[in-house]
Amino acid sequence: QVQLVESGGGLVQAGGSLRLSCAASGRTFSMYAMGWFRQAPGKEREFVSTINWRDGRAYYADSVKGRFTNTRDNAKNTVYLQMNSLKPEDTAVYYCAARAGSGSYYSEASYYLWGQGTQVTVSS
C-alpha cells in the first residue's frame, strides 16, 4: 500500500521560508508525478506545483512562481517544496498528491493518492 507523508509545516513570519517534504512509501512505480495543493480556510483547494519523477520538470501556479521551488529525490522517493518570501495569503493546509500520468496536472481529479496535509501559517 502506498502512503504519502508530509512534514515541514509551521508558523513563520511574512518574508520567511519553510520547506515541506512529502515521502512516498510502498509501491511507488505507478507514480508519474507529484503535486502540491493547498486549502485556505473557507476556500477551495488549489493547485500549487507539480513535478515529474523522471525528468524533474516542475510547473507552478502563478501565485507562487518565483517564490516556491519544487524538487525531488528519486532515491528517497521524496519531493520537497521550498517556500521563500512567504506571504500571509500563503497560509493554508498543504497537501501532496500522486498522479499516474493522465489528466491535467493542475486538476485535483488527476491525482489518485493524497497525504494528510500539513499546516503552514504565515503571520504579518
Side-chain angles (χ1 to χ4, degrees):
Q1 184 176 356
V2 183
Q3 287 186 319
L4 303 177
V5 178
E6 298 116 331
S7 60
L11 173 64
V12 65
Q13 289 188 333
S17 299
L18 282 174
R19 189 178 80 155
L20 305 183
S21 300
C22 175
S25 62
R27 301 177 65 186
T28 60
F29 59 85
S30 62
M31 295 182 182
Y32 173 78
M34 298 292 289
W36 289 97
F37 287 76
R38 66 186 181 186
Q39 186 167 23
K43 295 187 177 182
E44 294 186 351
R45 190 155 53 185
E46 64 175 2
F47 169 77
V48 175
S49 178
T50 188
I51 187 166
N52 298 340
W53 280 112
R54 182 179 60 84
D55 58 13
R57 186 172 298 182
Y59 302 89
Y60 301 91
D62 288 343
S63 59
V64 306
K65 201 171 293 182
R67 300 188 297 123
F68 290 13
T69 303
N70 196 352
T71 58
R72 93 279 191 232
D73 184 331
N74 292 62
K76 295 182 179 180
N77 286 336
T78 300
V79 295
Y80 305 95
L81 187 68
Q82 178 66 43
M83 306 185 294
N84 298 330
S85 302
L86 283 162
K87 305 175 181 179
E89 50 263 43
D90 294 319
T91 295
V93 177
Y94 284 70
Y95 299 89
C96 67
R99 177 163 56 93
S102 60
S104 302
Y105 64 76
Y106 51 82
S107 171
E108 286 187 55
S110 301
Y111 295 80
Y112 67 92
L113 181 67
W114 293 80
Q116 82 284 0
T118 186
Q119 177 70 46
V120 171
T121 303
V122 184
S123 63
S124 57

